[in-house]
Amino acid sequence: MLSGRLGLEKARIPHADRHGLVWLDRGRLEVESGCLRFVTAGGGDLEAGDYQIPHQGVSIVLLGPGSSVTHDALRLLARHGCSLAAIGEGAVRFYTAPPLMPDSSAAARAQVMLWANPDTRMEVARAMYTMRFDEIVRTRDIEVLRGREGARIKESYRLAAERYGVPWRGRNYDRAAPDSADLANQAINHTATTMTAAASVAVAAMGAIPQLGFIHEDSGQSFVLDIADLYRHDVTLDIAFGAAKEAMTKPEPVDRLVRRRAARLFRQKAVIPSMIDRIKTLLRLSKAEGGDDGQNGRGETE
């Protein structure tokens, strides 16, 4: 089987002896003679054909649009501890993930221990800031950290708008009427949704706890939002302002342009595998706990 053709990514999580992700779309996931197979007429990333899926050798199957799955396939995946997530095109939406049964509690236990101690919780929050801005912050006050982050992001918006030639009058939108915002703000809103979906895949695949965030606190997806924000100043803005620029000249809804651009950049920049690697780093997981398979970003063994 050609790993690159099926989208096998570089991260092994949390099954130390497995590959990470396999992307499938526009086909039928079924079981034949005890083997998991994906039958597709083409039209997506795979050419038309009947592919055998190595369910015992991957951690999570990402099933995209135009696909169906049989009861036998769900049963087989559950029996062998392989998760299945229903996603939008290129993982720009995250709908459901049955079953989610990581075979290790290492990530969840590490996360709880770091979160429960105020000192280590702040250390992780500062590490997130350093990942984003390549700057070490010494403060022990989370509000100070949030303030510095807000200032950096505000400047990032301005620079991205200037780079793409998109009019920008600041971050301003009405949650009750999001479509009333200008193109740039609408694009940022839609892009945030796609990035949250990608982070949901990464957090679910790692078996981490979505509710326990280090910077975000109130949301039931706090850790997901923490991970999504690691890409807010670069990938998110490239998607949003690039789509806003396209929307200025193309008669297409900006949300559709965002989803298309996000799906492409998620693959090109290996965003989800990168998220998984960063979760391992933040939770201080060893290679034995998080897995490492020596693959490059395209999912091909070097």
Side-chain angles (χ1 to χ4, degrees), residues 281-300:
T281 299
L282 291 167
L283 299 186
R284 306 173 185 178
L285 296 172
S286 67
K287 289 185 178 181
E289 293 168 318
D292 181 46
D293 64 3
Q295 289 185 322
N296 62 28
R298 297 178 58 191
E300 298 165 353

Side-chain angles (χ1 to χ4, degrees), residues 132-199:
R132 294 175 66 179
F133 303 115
D134 196 25
E135 176 186 341
I136 297 175
V137 178
R138 302 296 183 185
T139 182
R140 293 185 176 274
D141 187 335
I142 189 65
E143 293 303 326
V144 171
L145 188 68
R146 288 170 178 156
R148 294 189 65 165
E149 174 196 30
R152 291 291 297 267
I153 286 297
K154 184 176 181 179
E155 179 65 6
S156 296
Y157 285 148
R158 186 189 67 79
L159 292 174
E162 185 178 285
R163 186 166 67 250
Y164 282 94
V166 173
W168 179 248
R169 292 180 292 275
R171 189 78 171 106
N172 182 28
Y173 70 99
D174 183 354
R175 291 181 182 275
D179 291 340
S180 65
D182 59 32
L183 275 177
N185 276 285
Q186 287 186 50
I188 291 170
N189 295 343
H190 291 303
T191 304
T193 300
T194 68
M195 197 61 67
T196 300

